[in-house]
Amino acid sequence: ETLPATDAAPASLSLRLREGTRPEHEQAETTGFVEKLMGGELDVAAYTDLAAQQYAIYGALEQASAQIRDDAQGATLVFDELTRTPSIEKDLAFLVGSDWATEIRILPATEAYVARLLEVGTSLSAYAAHAYTRYLGDLSGGQIIKRMMERHYGLGPDGLAFYTFDEIPKAKPFKDVYRERLDSLDLTDEQIAETVEEAKLAFRLNSALFAELGAIHC
Ligand code: VER
């Protein structure tokens, strides 16, 4: 990779996020849990456990979304069609049963992830980082995960509502709009650097969760 000339326009936030989290993405994608889940070596119980952790994570993320909406800049990043909590609730009702809320248990790595979201999630830069990491991931790799869960574990559409964005028929144009919104935020250089750092942390929190799920299911 060549360094930009000093007079070149600085890279956009969306590009800096993509480039800045590339190693962390690679790391998350290649954890044993993810590789085995994707390869059909695990079972529906492993997928269900992941869904339960995501229930807690999206509860906190979407609580932050509801608050950041009150901020003019924050509001530009909040899209109702991304909201995942009701979809995860549907998936868990199917996967676990109507008593899912008392049956699921939240792992320590999930608690740490949720704590971070509750701590910083209503700052604009941190919200941008966490929402980017999850939602653009769900619209990208998430669609591959959906196909693998269908193929290997006979799921879908019941149990896979999380990966189904009814109001986003095409991920690509939506992701383009989302990146434009990120790039239109009025952030200082310092806030941009903070956003990239927080996104790296968001990936690491996901990897730590996969490690814990791997210790249980692999
Ligand atoms: Fe990734 N992802 N991903 N991903 N992803 C893409 C883009 C992307 C993929 C594939 C792809 C995660 O895991 C996976 C994220 C975030 C995350 C492709 C494009 C696979 C196959 C897996 C694992 C099954 C995880 C765990 C995360 C974060 C929690 C983001 C944010 C993006 C958008 C990158 C950008 O800026 O364009 C094919």
Side-chain angles (χ1 to χ4, degrees), residues 90-108:
K90 251 187 265 171
D91 288 343
L92 288 171
F94 172 77
L95 295 162
V96 180
S98 55
D99 59 347
W100 65 269
T102 53
E103 284 296 307
I104 62 171
R105 56 109 182 67
I106 303 309
L107 294 171

Side-chain angles (χ1 to χ4, degrees), residues 21-214:
T21 60
R22 207 182 280 281
E24 285 78 8
H25 185 277
E26 169 86 22
Q27 168 81 44
E29 207 182 0
T30 54
T31 56
F33 179 79
V34 170
E35 289 198 330
K36 289 195 169 70
L37 183 71
M38 296 289 279
E41 296 172 58
L42 303 182
D43 50 22
V44 175
Y47 172 75
T48 301
D49 207 352
L50 173 62
Q53 308 317 307
Q54 285 173 338
Y55 173 70
I57 293 161
Y58 282 78
L61 178 61
E62 292 176 357
Q63 187 178 315
S65 306
Q67 291 182 44
I68 203 98
R69 250 200 159 130
D70 294 338
D71 174 80
Q73 292 211 72
T76 68
L77 295 178
V78 180
F79 293 82
D80 286 331
E81 54 269 54
L82 287 174
T83 308
R84 292 295 89 196
T85 302
S87 302
I88 307 174
E89 289 173 344
K90 251 187 265 171
D91 288 343
L92 288 171
F94 172 77
L95 295 162
V96 180
S98 55
D99 59 347
W100 65 269
T102 53
E103 284 296 307
I104 62 171
R105 56 109 182 67
I106 303 309
L107 294 171
T110 305
E111 299 283 10
Y113 193 165
V114 165
R116 183 68 186 170
L117 284 166
L118 297 179
E119 186 193 341
V120 301
T122 55
S123 110
L124 181 63
S125 56
Y127 178 79
H130 284 281
Y132 160 81
T133 302
R134 288 301 334 190
Y135 293 124
L136 283 209
D138 300 334
L139 288 165
S140 308
Q143 301 309 299
I144 305 171
I145 298 173
K146 182 183 183 185
R147 287 200 293 280
M148 293 302 126
M149 298 308 102
E150 289 169 343
R151 179 179 303 173
H152 297 304
Y153 308 114
L155 288 169
D158 286 328
L160 292 174
F162 175 77
Y163 300 98
T164 309
F165 291 85
D166 286 325
E167 295 161 88
I168 305 178
K170 285 184 172 193
K172 170 84 169 72
F174 185 90
K175 287 191 282 184
D176 289 343
V177 169
Y178 198 90
R179 290 192 190 98
E180 278 170 29
R181 297 288 177 91
L182 288 169
D183 296 340
S184 301
L185 296 175
D186 186 19
L187 299 176
T188 62
D189 287 351
E190 196 186 344
Q191 285 173 309
I192 288 177
E194 266 170 32
T195 308
V196 176
E197 282 312 305
E198 189 69 24
K200 290 184 188 185
L201 174 62
F203 272 89
R204 290 198 298 271
L205 290 166
N206 281 280
S207 288
L209 171 56
F210 296 146
E212 255 177 45
L213 286 167

